[in-house]
Amino acid sequence: MTAIPQERRVVTAIPGPKSVELQARRASVVAAGVGSVLPVFTARAGGGIIEDVDGNRLIDFGSGIAVTSVGASAEAVVRRASAQLAEFTHTCFMVTPYEGYVEVAEALAELTPGDHAKKSALFNSGAEAVENAVKIARAYTKRQAVVVFDHGYHGRTNLTMALTSKNMPYKQGFGPFAPEVYRVPVAYGYRWPTGAENAGAEASAQAIDQISKQIGAENVAAIIIEPLLGEGGFIEPAKGFLPAIARFAKDNGIVFVADEIQSGFCRTGQWFACEDEGVVPDLITTAKGIAGGLPLAAVTGRAEIMDAPHAGGLGGTYGGNPVACAGALGAIETMRELDLNARARRIEEVMKGRLTAMAEKFDLIGDIRGRGAMIAIELVEDRETKKPAAAATAALAKACHAEGLLVLTCGTYGNVLRFLPPLVIGEDLLNEGLDIIERAFEGL
Ligand SMILES: *Cc1c(COP(=O)(O)O)cnc(C)c1O
């Protein structure tokens, strides 16, 4: 429920005069290292619309980077968070606890894959959740090495920078990075040298061989992977890859961690993307979509692993803030009531249908991929050489922005247009957004 009309409206240049003025103020006081995809300043947001301070209404294909899956002002999130805000804002769960935190942990135990006993710890950001997953896995295994994958993204703190694959903009100049982090190949079907059909088997064999020969499986605490890689380009590991890696972890006493921070909570048309191939992770990290826009993150997993760190070893002042927990309970309520998994699958159907038709007209589209409302197109200068078309990708995004459609780019080569609409977006807005993308291709 939102007061914002679910209609695109462009009444000024984008960004408009008020946004330009605010951008000038911002430039003198906000650190330059903090960027913005599109410097239009937000006045209100909800459903599939972001309204800016100049009165423009943009169609939202970004969800604040896969966060506002239930919309940016979902009724249940606003209701529950407001009620909590009026009761108390904070006590620190490590000082005097409260029920909301426990309720979120109960929901996580129920919703995450596997019917084993599960426990959770709550944090503020995705990076913090990933860091804690590493702490927990090291405490449990008494080993140190951590294995991650090409094109992986896990955050911007020191340890998670080390876990992240891409140098610019995430790591450049920010080293030295944390030790005992090892990167191995992922089954990137579109760019796998012997073809997508071989990628699952070959990449998993290569990854396992590297782990065994270069690190020694007995030294590995955790293997961390995004079941559908986000910032790296919406790469779906080819079929067979995830189960093979999960099996290898199990056989060798390694904690298998699914980083579902971007792909979790209905985004891919299932509660968690790892369900697609029936993989049951030992630990799962969540954030982004979990709380309807409030800052919350979690590590959830096998009770005996989660209980390995000593009392007092995990936590943080704000981790599992009561208002954020109330927001999460509101978001989960919305996901259930509106069956947002079904909505995400419908968004996939509409998007892939339209994008497939576009690919027949525009040779620039090399690959269409993703699941649910986590869909991307990879753009190439030439379908044979697959040379990444980064400049065209940036130009397309810019053209969409000018028409009032917010889209994001991603990918190791900067040549992926990604679409992450709120799952509650109306189908008319979804189609209008796709019309704008089509016109942007025509105008290139
Ligand atoms: C965004 C993201 C993170 C980092 O989350 P923050 O809340 O920005 O710290 C980690 N892993 C994945 C897969 C992400 O998409």
Side-chain angles (χ1 to χ4, degrees):
M1 193 186 73
T2 169
I4 306 170
Q6 295 295 298
E7 283 165 17
R8 180 177 68 108
R9 182 171 79 175
V10 179
V11 292
T12 69
I14 290 182
K18 288 185 179 151
S19 280
V20 169
E21 210 180 297
L22 283 164
Q23 179 68 7
R25 269 172 61 196
R26 167 218 177 124
S28 60
V29 289
V30 177
V34 183
S36 292
V37 170
L38 176 59
V40 302
F41 281 72
T42 311
R44 307 189 288 170
I49 292 285
I50 295 171
E51 188 175 294
D52 73 12
V53 289
D54 290 290
N56 298 298
R57 295 198 190 111
L58 282 72
I59 300 175
D60 182 10
F61 274 15
S63 300
I65 318 187
V67 170
T68 52
S69 297
V70 296
S73 48
E75 187 277 332
V77 175
V78 174
R79 170 171 41 83
R80 287 191 186 235
S82 306
Q84 177 57 48
L85 206 45
E87 296 297 334
F88 61 95
T89 54
H90 173 83
T91 62
C92 186
F93 192 76
M94 301 182 304
V95 178
T96 57
Y98 37 86
E99 186 176 356
Y101 191 117
V102 179
E103 278 185 270
V104 170
E106 286 167 348
L108 285 164
E110 187 193 330
L111 295 170
T112 52
D115 47 18
H116 48 275
K118 288 176 215 157
K119 293 194 177 184
S120 291
L122 305 184
F123 304 97
N124 303 295
S125 69
E128 223 189 324
V130 174
E131 292 237 358
N132 278 280
V134 172
K135 282 167 65 172
I136 294 162
R138 283 178 171 159
Y140 177 71
T141 59
K142 302 186 170 58
R143 305 172 179 177
Q144 292 187 351
V146 178
V147 172
V148 288
F149 293 84
D150 287 336
H151 310 288
Y153 177 84
H154 301 286
R156 293 175 180 271
T157 57
N158 186 265
L159 175 56
T160 57
M161 276 194 292
L163 302 175
T164 289
S165 177
K166 191 176 177 178
N167 179 49
M168 266 307 271
Y170 307 121
K171 302 164 78 163
Q172 175 66 33
F174 299 147
F177 304 110
E180 286 304 312
V181 172
Y182 301 87
R183 187 164 292 103
V184 298
V186 73
Y188 186 172
Y190 179 63
R191 292 189 178 276
W192 194 255
T194 58
E197 63 283 7
N198 301 315
E202 290 181 12
S204 57
Q206 278 186 24
I208 288 166
D209 188 62
Q210 282 188 23
I211 296 167
S212 309
K213 298 295 184 304
Q214 297 178 15
I215 318 165
E218 69 276 19
N219 298 314
V220 179
I223 297 178
I224 308 178
I225 188 163
E226 303 159 79
L228 201 162
L229 285 78
E231 302 302 302
F234 284 20
I235 299 164
E236 293 175 85
K239 292 290 175 232
F241 183 81
L242 286 176
I245 298 295
R247 201 175 320 115
F248 172 77
K250 189 164 197 273
D251 291 345
N252 290 280
I254 299 167
V255 176
F256 182 81
V257 184
D259 181 351
E260 293 253 15
I261 288 167
Q262 190 156 162
S263 57
F265 281 101
C266 307
R267 179 50 59 184
T268 66
Q270 294 178 290
W271 281 99
F272 297 96
C274 60
E275 292 170 48
D276 196 57
E277 288 186 90
V279 169
V280 177
D282 297 313
L283 298 181
I284 182 162
T285 54
T286 51
K288 295 202 165 98
I290 191 175
L294 283 102
L296 189 72
V299 184
T300 302
R302 295 185 189 280
E304 68 275 18
I305 301 177
M306 290 298 298
D307 280 340
H310 50 275
L314 302 177
T317 305
Y318 293 115
N321 169 272
V323 180
C325 285
L329 295 169
I332 292 167
E333 176 187 322
T334 308
M335 290 171 195
R336 285 194 162 119
E337 278 186 1
L338 302 181
D339 192 359
L340 292 188
N341 281 319
R343 283 292 312 151
R345 292 194 294 271
R346 175 62 188 157
I347 290 169
E348 171 177 352
E349 193 180 0
V350 171
M351 282 204 149
K352 283 197 170 161
R354 293 285 309 269
L355 294 168
T356 303
M358 286 184 219
E360 281 168 21
K361 289 200 286 180
F362 310 116
D363 290 344
L364 205 52
I365 301 179
D367 195 24
I368 302 166
R369 59 180 181 246
R371 294 201 299 272
M374 189 170 178
I375 302 292
I377 48 180
E378 176 159 357
L379 305 178
V380 291
E381 288 178 8
D382 177 325
R383 283 182 177 171
E384 286 301 309
T385 64
K386 299 182 178 173
K387 184 162 186 268
T393 306
L396 280 167
K398 202 163 166 242
C400 291
H401 296 165
E403 291 301 314
L405 171 69
L406 180 67
V407 292
L408 307 174
T409 61
C410 66
T412 298
Y413 314 108
N415 67 326
V416 177
L417 266 185
R418 60 168 154 173
F419 312 120
L420 291 161
L423 307 180
V424 294
I425 194 171
E427 207 155 307
D428 46 350
L429 280 186
L430 185 65
N431 272 303
E432 194 177 346
L434 287 157
D435 293 340
I436 292 170
I437 292 166
E438 186 158 2
R439 285 202 299 276
F441 271 106
E442 279 160 3
L444 266 191

